Structure formats: structure tokens, C-alpha cells
């Protein structure tokens, strides 16, 4: 289901899922770019924001990951990174899923696109992804990742 677009087009995706609509509205309406790195609860464990600030890293340092319980809405507010994505059925599990962290690692190959400031991606559980990769040289990136529980709004 992976979606990649400019935040100026976010309203086109409100109908996908009630939690995704809320996450996109939050990213559009709130002064989120000023938030300090950390975790911010929006609706308990059903929706929260991880504000991340880091230097992008070389491709060989990247990891393929996926989650079972959450959508990721990743929005870059500063910098540019490469984001990799692949269908889960084309990847091999390298570290088994851990329900406590909602995290599994994978091995394989995927496609990459530039996720620049002002752009977002929506990743579903079937979207194995690799984030934080340098386009060329490592550069500072600030990104907000809204974790939206699949059952949000039910």
C-alpha cells in the first residue's frame, strides 16, 4: 500500500483509514517541525509521534524492517533521505517478529525514492522499508513518524 506524496496533497488520503486521516491532519495543522526529538502520545498506544533527528547513513548500514500492528506515516521536516520499500512477500525474515516491539527484520532487495522535506510516506504492515539512508553524503534529517494502530477508529 505504500504511498509517497507532498504534504500539500495529504487530504487526498484521508479516506484510507481514520487514523491515517488524523495523523495527516496533525502533521498539517500543528507546528510539529519545532518539536524536540522524543515520543509524544496522541491517543495512548493507538497513536503516537516519534520525532527523530539524525544524520542519514550509508546504504550498507541500513536495515529492512516491518511492523504488524501499526501504519507508519513518515514526514520529513528537514533534509532529505532515501527510503527503501519492498513487498513483504519478496523478502526473507532475518530476525523474527517481536510482538513487544512490533518489529521484524528482513533481507532482500527493494526500490528507493527520495523523501525530502515537505514529503511524507505511508507504510502498511506489508511494506518492508529501509529508512534514514543518505542520498549521497550523510546529512542532518529531522523526521516525524506517526505510528497509527491498524484498529484505530474501530
Amino acid at each position: 500500500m505504500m504511498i509517497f506524496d507532498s504534504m500539500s496533497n495529504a487530504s487526498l488520503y484521508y479516506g484510507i483509514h481514520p487514523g491515517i486521516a488524523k495523523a495527516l491532519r496533525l502533521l498539517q495543522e500543528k507546528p510539529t517541525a519545532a518539536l524536540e526529538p522524543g515520543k509524544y502520545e496522541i491517543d495512548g498506544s493507538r497513536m503516537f509521534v516519534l520525532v527523530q533527528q539524525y544524520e542519514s547513513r550509508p546504504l550498507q548500514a541500513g536495515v529492512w524492517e516491518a511492523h504488524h500492528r501499526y501504519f507508519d506515516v513518515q514526514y520529513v521536516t528537514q533534509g532529505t533521505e532515501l527510503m527503501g520499500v519492498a513487498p513483504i512477500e519478496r523478502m526473507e525474515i532475518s530476525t523474527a517478529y517481536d510482538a513487544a516491539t512490533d518489529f521484524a527484520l528482513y533481507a532482500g532487495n527493494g526500490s528507493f525514492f527520495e523523501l525530502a522535506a515537505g514529503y511524507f510516506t505511508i507504510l502498511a504492515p506489508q511494506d518492508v522499508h529501509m529508512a534514514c539512508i543518505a542520498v549521497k553524503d550523510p546529512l542532518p534529517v529531522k523526521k516525524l513518524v506517526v505510528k497509527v494502530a491498524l484498529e484505530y477508529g474501530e
Side-chain angles (χ1 to χ4, degrees):
M1 173 192 131
M2 191 277 302
I3 291 170
F4 164 64
D5 206 341
S6 168
M7 189 53 76
S8 63
N9 295 324
S11 63
L12 297 172
Y13 307 100
Y14 289 172
I16 293 173
H17 183 276
I20 289 175
K22 183 173 181 172
L24 290 170
R25 283 186 180 103
L26 171 83
L27 293 170
Q28 287 177 296
E29 298 167 1
K30 302 289 184 203
T32 51
L35 289 174
E36 292 296 318
K39 180 178 178 180
Y40 299 85
E41 286 190 8
I42 305 302
D43 189 0
S45 64
R46 294 167 29 99
M47 182 181 296
F48 55 93
V49 179
L50 302 173
V51 178
Q52 304 172 338
Q53 204 159 5
Y54 51 86
E55 284 228 339
S56 56
R57 57 185 177 237
L59 179 61
Q60 58 270 25
V63 295
W64 291 103
E65 64 181 72
H67 317 285
H68 291 193
R69 295 191 326 257
Y70 291 92
F71 291 104
D72 272 9
V73 180
Q74 299 195 17
Y75 174 52
V76 173
T77 62
Q78 174 190 337
T80 301
E81 67 179 38
L82 287 180
M83 172 68 71
V85 66
I88 199 165
E89 64 271 6
R90 292 196 349 215
M91 305 295 272
E92 288 185 35
I93 295 175
S94 60
T95 301
Y97 177 73
D98 180 347
T101 59
D102 188 41
F103 193 79
L105 295 179
Y106 292 81
N109 296 305
S111 301
F112 288 84
F113 60 94
E114 283 190 29
L115 190 59
Y119 285 81
F120 70 94
T121 187
I122 301 171
L123 301 157
Q126 69 269 20
D127 301 319
V128 177
H129 52 282
M130 180 187 294
C132 311
I133 304 303
V135 175
K136 291 182 183 173
D137 297 319
L139 295 172
V141 175
K142 186 170 185 181
K143 181 168 66 177
L144 287 79
V145 179
V146 183
K147 304 291 278 186
V148 179
L150 294 178
E151 75 279 356
Y152 193 93
E154 291 181 359

